[in-house]
Amino acid sequence: MEILRTVEELREWSRANRKLGRSIGLVPTMGALHAGHASLIRAAAASCEQVAVSIFVNPTQFGPNEDFARYPRTFEADCALAQAEGAHVIFAPSVDELYPDGGTTFVEVEGLSERLDGKSRPGHFRGVASVVAKLFIAAEPDRAFFGQKDAAQVAVLRRMVLDLRFGTEIVVCPIVREVDGLALSSRNVYLSATERAQAPTLNRAIRRVESFVGQGGRSAIALLEAAREVFDAEPSVRVDYIELVDWATLQPVESASPGTLFAVAAYVGATRLIDNTIFN
Ligand code: AMP
């Protein structure tokens, strides 16, 4: 498995493969790979002839007081995992390679960028959209694989693909969880033992809402309240947001219907975690 460091190398790799008629899958990540990332790489390898995994801790999607500097970096282990799951190349550029002299050109998905995580993390989705656009322009993947875990990110990227007329299909893979329901995240390593025990609160809220909907509950007021009660029972977990929105627009809806996203974000200690469910 080759490790590519420059955009030009990624472009060359992609061009050479497309010339041979091979389909290309891209799995964008920030590294510290776990079983959630592994599931995306597996899905990519199952549906594309060539798979690139990008590993890049993207500074522009972190706020000034966030964890960019201490974000876990486990490059050697990431390469081993990616290779084992069927990746053909790793794209691991430097910050200067993707943002020459800091970069001055950014992608803003108006309206969606300020919703959910974008509301509590101003500039976050501008950073995400910008880096994914750079990857799409260089790699021109047929398909790019993202986790439902970051459901608002998927909405932002789908809108970007529509607006910029990228020829890449966005494929969304299910959330991979620990046995107690906690969604796998590279940030889970920040949790102390006590916090780790509190962290499944997010998924308990999600499951309670799912069971309400399973019993015919639909109204946003009732669903938001059902989730709120779960968090009220665990006061050490501080809610950032609880939202019922249309998955495409991220705008609040009054009742759950197919395509509605129920999403939560909460701080467990200093660590911000997210979880969600999508109704069908
Ligand atoms: P990250 O490295 O956190 O930027 O995540 C890279 C990709 O992996 C994103 O598309 C995430 O949504 C996805 N991902 C992260 N955690 C999970 C998980 N627990 N299950 C499925 N996909 C995930």
Side-chain angles (χ1 to χ4, degrees), residues 9-148:
E9 285 171 341
L10 179 62
R11 183 175 283 127
E12 283 303 314
W13 171 82
S14 166
R15 278 196 185 139
N17 278 295
R18 275 181 289 125
K19 215 177 251 176
L20 295 169
R22 295 172 176 159
S23 57
I24 292 177
L26 173 69
V27 183
T29 83
M30 297 207 298
L33 302 185
H34 50 62
H37 300 109
S39 75
L40 304 188
I41 302 169
R42 263 199 309 282
S47 82
C48 302
E49 288 160 290
Q50 288 287 307
V51 174
V53 174
S54 66
I55 296 180
F56 180 66
V57 185
N58 176 33
T60 65
Q61 71 187 71
F62 288 79
N65 298 315
E66 293 183 359
D67 55 341
F68 174 70
R70 70 180 188 121
Y71 195 84
R73 288 162 170 89
T74 58
F75 189 68
E76 298 298 316
D78 292 351
C79 290
L81 180 147
Q83 182 162 30
E85 300 296 351
H88 297 86
V89 292
I90 297 281
F91 177 55
S94 65
V95 171
D96 188 63
E97 177 65 19
L98 282 197
Y99 297 99
D101 306 320
T104 55
T105 307
F106 291 88
V107 177
E108 184 93 48
V109 182
E110 292 179 0
L112 280 78
S113 279
E114 301 81 40
R115 298 283 305 133
L116 303 183
D117 310 280
K119 193 168 172 187
S120 17
R121 304 179 68 191
H124 171 67
F125 285 134
R126 175 181 188 256
V128 170
S130 299
V131 78
V132 172
K134 288 167 193 262
L135 295 172
F136 282 11
I137 288 166
E140 291 190 54
D142 297 280
R143 285 183 279 284
F145 297 78
F146 296 89
Q148 184 196 312

Side-chain angles (χ1 to χ4, degrees), residues 199-221:
T201 309
L202 283 84
N203 186 240
R204 272 205 297 281
I206 295 293
R207 286 208 311 266
R208 181 147 197 250
V209 166
E210 283 174 338
S211 97
F212 265 53
V213 169
Q215 291 160 22
R218 289 285 178 273
S219 100
I221 292 173

Side-chain angles (χ1 to χ4, degrees), residues 239-258:
V239 172
D240 176 12
Y241 67 69
I242 305 176
E243 297 237 29
L244 184 72
V245 299
D246 179 301
W247 191 19
T249 64
L250 302 182
Q251 289 303 313
V253 294
E254 283 179 7
S255 68
S257 61

